[in-house]
Amino acid sequence: MAQTLFTIKKRSTFVMIRNQGEFIKGKNMNIQILHNQDLENSIGVGYTASKKIGNAVKRNRAKRIMRELARKRSEEHTSELQSHSDLVCRLLLEK
């Protein structure tokens, strides 16, 4: 069965993932992962971009790019991705 991606929108879900999840730090992006058995063969993905990125137009563009990247990567690597997971991707300012 194919995995489905859905967007996390509730602040309470973001906070739960931050408090209970695993943190992976990268050069340009931080990812927080929480394995959630309540999800049925789906992966929840949330996107955040702070005001350090720029104005609302730049932040929204960054989130659109992250959304598209997540969609493409999930199609390419369906066997490697674990279902029953929530992810939060946070874009960092390039220095």
Side-chain angles (χ1 to χ4, degrees):
M1 183 185 283
Q3 297 172 352
T4 58
L5 289 181
F6 69 92
T7 303
I8 299 170
K9 297 180 182 178
K10 290 186 178 182
R11 183 180 189 283
S12 61
T13 308
F14 279 93
V15 172
M16 181 184 69
I17 294 169
R18 183 187 69 214
N19 292 337
Q20 299 175 7
E22 176 185 346
F23 185 77
I24 301 170
K25 187 173 183 175
K27 182 178 177 184
N28 297 319
M29 185 181 296
N30 291 340
I31 298 177
Q32 296 167 323
I33 301 172
L34 177 64
H35 300 290
N36 186 350
Q37 294 300 322
D38 295 336
L39 302 174
E40 295 186 16
N41 203 28
S42 60
I43 300 172
V45 185
Y47 309 95
T48 62
S50 70
K51 287 190 176 183
K52 290 181 182 180
I53 301 296
N55 62 15
V57 174
K58 290 180 182 177
R59 292 192 308 267
N60 288 335
R61 183 169 190 269
K63 289 188 276 187
R64 279 196 309 270
I65 291 169
M66 285 194 290
R67 231 178 268 121
E68 183 64 18
L69 179 64
R71 187 187 64 79
K72 285 184 179 181
R73 298 298 284 178
S74 70
E75 289 173 357
E76 294 172 4
H77 301 287
T78 53
S79 62
E80 297 172 18
L81 289 173
Q82 287 185 342
S83 59
H84 311 297
S85 296
D86 287 328
L87 304 171
V88 173
C89 303
R90 181 170 183 254
L91 191 63
L92 301 175
L93 182 62
E94 223 176 282
K95 295 180 181 181

